[in-house]
Amino acid sequence: MQFAQRLQPLQSNVFADMDIAKAAALAAGRDLIDLSLGSSDLPTENHVIDAIAQSLHDPSTHGYLLFHGTQAFRKAAATWYEQKFGIPVNPETEVLPLIGSQEGTAHLPLAILNPGDYALLLDPGYPSHVGGVYLASGQIYAMPLLTENDFLPVFADIPSEIVAKSKMMVLSYPHNPTTAIATPAFFEEAVRFCQKHNIVLVHDFPYVDLIFEGKGVPSILQADREKSVSIEFFTLSKSYNMGGFRIGYAIGNAELIRALRQVKAAVDFNQYKGILNGAIAALTGSQTGVDTAVNIFRQRRDTFIAALHRIGWEVPTPPATMYVWAKLPAPWTHNSVDFCTKLVKETGVAVSPGSGFGKSGEGYVRFALVHNPSILEIAVERIAEFLH
């Protein structure tokens, strides 16, 4: 049986290899502490669950949900955005519900790229950004994120011949996996660059609320208030602990929203309306649950960083996200996969190899802070034994 060539770049997946290693550790009787997957372990708020539960008994929610039926959710998303960032949003033309923001980043390239066109992606970056481009038969130019540049890409380093063939750029700050945040000035530079070269600017924004210092982080649309080239993806997975419900949305340029809507129309209907009702409750109801989640992850961050420092592993304190991005000590500085597979085999602690996020991620590992502080302390104790 022969398959499409576009599947070839998707064959290699270090996360699948890590799943095999985790399964082997469990089979060997290891007590697994999984810090490899960025899925919040915190519960969804009760008022959100109640809204979904009430919907289950309403037969009008049981059928196919077309675009018009998502109007209340789109209005809630637009209002939430306007209140947070102060920019007007038209819920009819500038908002689109998504089955998680990953669906948006994976499907949008189908609306933008022709075979051979380039997408400018962060390296390291979130794997679905890569997958969506390959499925659209596009080419990838990886923009290296280096410590000396605060894990921000340098647009001047992109070869002019690549820029000429580029149709989209994908940014994502606060950043997974490096935890870096972007300044308004950087976003303004990105918008100018994309306007100059007629490039669609995509901003994946799942960690909009998971900020530990300061008053918040900027939206890309604050640097592109006319929404001339930009689209931004949001999810309720992180802020509202709704990862399994698969609900997100896009806000941005009306033409881009319309194009993505055309792709979605060929692929899926929308989610069950009860999930959208839960999302409306999340966006319009009390936000104390968001504040609570941020405080919990801040406490976990502080506990984990302090524990790593006690064992002699000096890592910077992340300003945002639910992760810690750590440079590997010798002799693992060039083999993150080997470190991770051996660590889980010998200790039961599972973490993500940096190389799984791109070439520039080699030499790092990502810890997801998805356990309570006492478990994180135990994980570090096991890591200390492994390193010494």
Side-chain angles (χ1 to χ4, degrees), residues 81 84-85 87 173 182-184 187-188 191 203 205 208 216-225 232 234 251:
Y81 183 88
K84 193 170 188 70
F85 295 108
I87 296 174
Y173 290 95
T183 63
F187 277 165
E188 289 166 6
V191 169
H203 186 230
F205 206 10
V208 55
V217 289
S219 160
I220 199 73
L221 300 179
Q222 290 176 301
D224 185 12
R225 300 181 74 90
E232 197 157 51
F234 298 85
I251 292 180

Side-chain angles (χ1 to χ4, degrees), residues 184-214:
F186 170 78
F187 277 165
E188 289 166 6
E189 180 187 1
V191 169
R192 287 194 300 270
F193 180 87
C194 290
Q195 288 172 333
K196 177 180 178 180
H197 298 289
N198 197 28
I199 294 171
V200 170
L201 180 52
V202 182
H203 186 230
D204 195 11
F205 206 10
Y207 301 100
V208 55
D209 291 309
L210 287 185
I211 313 301
F212 304 128
E213 322 294 345

Side-chain angles (χ1 to χ4, degrees), residues 320-370:
T321 78
M322 57 174 64
Y323 309 112
V324 170
W325 183 242
K327 193 170 183 62
L328 283 166
W332 311 98
T333 50
H334 300 291
N335 200 336
S336 57
V337 172
D338 197 28
F339 173 87
C340 292
T341 53
K342 288 185 176 179
L343 179 68
V344 72
K345 179 180 179 180
E346 296 183 21
T347 72
V349 177
V351 301
S352 292
S355 61
F357 299 95
K359 181 180 178 181
S360 295
E362 183 55 278
Y364 289 83
V365 291
R366 190 197 73 177
F367 299 96
L369 303 176
V370 292

Side-chain angles (χ1 to χ4, degrees), residues 49-321:
I49 298 297
D50 289 343
I52 297 173
Q54 292 171 15
S55 302
L56 291 171
H57 300 287
D58 179 0
S60 70
T61 69
H62 296 175
Y64 291 123
L65 182 61
L66 302 181
F67 181 76
H68 180 72
T70 69
Q71 185 180 60
F73 172 72
R74 287 183 279 114
K75 286 183 176 180
T79 299
W80 176 91
Y81 183 88
E82 290 175 8
Q83 291 175 345
K84 193 170 188 70
F85 295 108
I87 296 174
V89 174
N90 185 331
E92 294 301 319
T93 60
E94 297 178 337
V95 182
L96 186 68
L98 298 171
I99 306 173
S101 63
Q102 179 166 326
E103 186 228 336
T105 58
H107 280 159
L108 186 62
L110 293 170
I112 296 175
L113 301 178
N114 288 313
D117 287 343
Y118 272 83
L120 307 173
L121 304 186
L122 302 180
D123 175 19
Y126 191 61
S128 80
H129 301 166
V130 172
V133 173
Y134 283 137
L135 289 176
S137 299
Q139 303 294 313
I140 290 172
Y141 178 83
M143 300 183 291
L145 305 184
L146 306 177
T147 307
E148 54 265 35
N149 298 322
D150 298 321
F151 295 113
L152 299 172
V154 179
F155 302 134
D157 290 345
I158 305 171
S160 57
E161 60 270 23
I162 297 295
V163 173
K165 298 176 182 178
S166 297
K167 296 296 188 292
M168 64 184 294
M169 174 192 290
V170 181
L171 302 177
S172 185
Y173 290 95
H175 185 243
N176 176 15
T178 70
T179 80
I181 57 177
T183 63
F186 170 78
F187 277 165
E188 289 166 6
E189 180 187 1
V191 169
R192 287 194 300 270
F193 180 87
C194 290
Q195 288 172 333
K196 177 180 178 180
H197 298 289
N198 197 28
I199 294 171
V200 170
L201 180 52
V202 182
H203 186 230
D204 195 11
F205 206 10
Y207 301 100
V208 55
D209 291 309
L210 287 185
I211 313 301
F212 304 128
E213 322 294 345
K215 296 182 179 180
V217 289
S219 160
I220 199 73
L221 300 179
Q222 290 176 301
D224 185 12
R225 300 181 74 90
E226 301 302 317
K227 308 181 187 76
S228 62
V229 295
S230 306
I231 186 170
E232 197 157 51
F233 292 121
F234 298 85
T235 178
L236 280 78
S237 296
K238 310 301 182 183
S239 300
Y240 300 98
N241 309 312
M242 294 180 68
F245 294 96
R246 307 311 305 133
I247 175 67
Y249 53 95
I251 292 180
N253 176 277
E255 291 181 82
L256 292 173
I257 293 290
R258 187 183 311 115
L260 182 55
R261 181 181 167 188
Q262 286 179 281
V263 173
K264 279 183 62 67
V267 175
D268 64 71
F269 289 103
N270 294 285
Q271 302 93 314
Y272 169 54
K273 190 171 183 178
I275 293 176
L276 269 67
N277 289 340
I280 292 169
L283 293 172
T284 62
S286 170
Q287 301 299 296
T288 57
V290 178
D291 297 334
T292 298
V294 172
N295 288 332
I296 288 172
F297 281 112
R298 181 188 290 110
Q299 180 187 11
R300 292 177 178 183
R301 175 202 67 170
D302 293 344
T303 296
F304 193 72
I305 292 293
L308 286 178
H309 288 179
R310 282 198 301 271
I311 69 169
W313 193 345
E314 295 296 326
V315 298
T317 300
T321 78

